[in-house]
Structures are given as structure tokens and as C-alpha cells.
Amino acid sequence: MSGKLSLTFDDGPDPVWTPRVLDVLEEVGVRATFFVVATLAERHPSLLRRASGAGHEIALHCTRHLRHDRMTASEIYADAEKGLRVLGKLGHDAGDWRTPWGVVTGGTKKAAEDLGLRLVGWTADSEDWRGEPSKVMLSRLAPGIGPGGVVLMHDGVGPGSLRDGCGETVELLAPLVSLCRSRDLEPVPLGELSGVLPDRNPGPVAGV
Ligand SMILES: [Zn+2]
């Protein structure tokens, strides 16, 4: 029996890198989940329309890319609520939420509950923000590619990133999808992944 896992992208949409990520996903026939920054979504609505039209899931990352452990509960709520409003105005009804750096506090959980959002972390981290070659990232990810997995990548250059573009993430995608399929795993958007999902960053906070 084949299993499922999800490929996820944070920090977009980006006018240069998001289209290239979408191109590769289209070539390999994979739908993914994009955790978007609301201010960027507002600036590049056509990228979200393209992603959503291709069957990708639009989810919430943030309005301002800040760590929740340095925000009050009401600031966290306001940030998420504004992000949802912006996405809603653009026609996207986000149900999943990954916070900046996967930091989750009591205030985050309360805001998620109040806004009807599901918090989603990851199980396998490409650490693509480091700027390493795609082959290094593929080796890093390989042990964690299994059923129910949630793979973290970035289609934008967020704060703290050590690279100035997402070219290696674009390069990573086709080999990563091949690896998944060689293990009888099909990537699907998070909304189609059954079972319990990780709700936060599984390890020490790093990168973007
Ligand atoms: Zn981020």
C-alpha cells in the first residue's frame, strides 16, 4: 500500500522563486502546501491564484515574520487574524498555520483555537536557508522521508536566511519527488494527509 507525505514551502510568495517552484511541481505532477506571508501575498496575488488554481494549498505563515516567544498573546492573535483577512480578501480560505521558525507559545495555541486554524510544524527539514547544494539537502532529508512526513522548504528568502535565492530548492524538488515515489510515497497537500501532524518545530529553532 502506498503512503502519503506533504511538501511544504514557507516565506513566499516570491516573484522570482515561487513561479520556478510551481513550474517544477507541475512538471512532476505534485501538489503541495504554501505557508505564505500575508504582506507578500497582497503584493503578488497572481502567484497565489496560480498556485491555488493548480491545486496547491494556500496556508498562513504570518503577517509580520516575528518569533511568537517575543510577542504578546494579543499581538499573535492580531497578526494571524490580519493575515487571514488579507488572504480571505484574495479569495483564499487558509485553514493551516505554520508560525515563523515554528515557534509555538500558549498565545499561539489560543489564537489558533479562536481562529479555527490548525498548527502544522514539520518532520523533515531541508534547512535550505543555509544555501547548501541540493544534493546535500537531499541526503539530509532522505532518512526522514516516510509516510505522514511533512517536509519543510522555502520559496522565498526570509529573515535569517544565509542565501540570496532559492535556486537550490528548485533543484531539489524533482530528485526529492523521485525519492518519495521510490519509497511508494505520494506527496499531497496537508489537507489530504491523514493522521496526527506535528504541530511545531521538532528541534532547536534555527534559520527561517
Ligand atoms: Zn518563515
Side-chain angles (χ1 to χ4, degrees), residues 10-11 37 61-62 65 99-101 154 158-159 208:
D10 290 7
D11 293 353
V37 179
H61 193 36
C62 58
H65 201 284
T99 64
W101 296 281
H154 297 84
V208 293

Side-chain angles (χ1 to χ4, degrees), residues 32-114:
T33 297
F34 290 83
F35 288 96
V36 303
V37 179
T39 48
L40 299 177
E42 216 166 16
R43 218 175 295 162
H44 308 291
S46 63
L47 294 176
L48 262 66
R49 272 199 303 276
R50 179 182 165 193
S52 161
H56 302 293
E57 175 184 350
I58 305 300
L60 176 67
H61 193 36
C62 58
T63 301
R64 293 188 303 157
H65 201 284
L66 300 171
R67 293 177 57 105
H68 284 193
D69 55 3
R70 295 180 193 158
M71 296 165 80
T72 65
S74 59
E75 285 171 339
I76 293 169
Y77 178 90
D79 188 272
E81 194 274 332
K82 185 175 178 193
L84 284 183
R85 205 155 13 96
V86 167
L87 294 181
K89 243 189 271 176
L90 298 173
H92 308 286
D93 184 17
D96 287 331
W97 185 20
R98 177 180 291 140
T99 64
W101 296 281
V103 174
V104 169
T105 66
T108 316
K109 288 183 180 169
K110 178 78 169 63
E113 204 181 303
D114 292 348

Side-chain angles (χ1 to χ4, degrees), residues 109-181:
K109 288 183 180 169
K110 178 78 169 63
E113 204 181 303
D114 292 348
L115 293 165
L117 289 166
R118 175 174 67 163
L119 285 165
V120 184
W122 57 87
T123 63
D125 189 352
S126 65
E127 299 183 30
D128 54 356
W129 55 273
R130 292 184 187 279
E132 292 166 328
S134 58
K135 280 184 181 150
V136 174
M137 295 195 272
L138 190 65
S139 314
R140 177 180 290 126
L141 287 171
I145 298 299
V150 179
V151 181
L152 171 63
M153 292 172 279
H154 297 84
D155 63 323
V157 179
S161 181
L162 300 177
R163 63 180 182 172
D164 53 15
C166 304
E168 291 299 322
T169 301
V170 174
E171 291 297 317
L172 170 66
L173 289 177
L176 176 60
V177 169
S178 297
L179 175 70
C180 295
R181 288 176 173 158

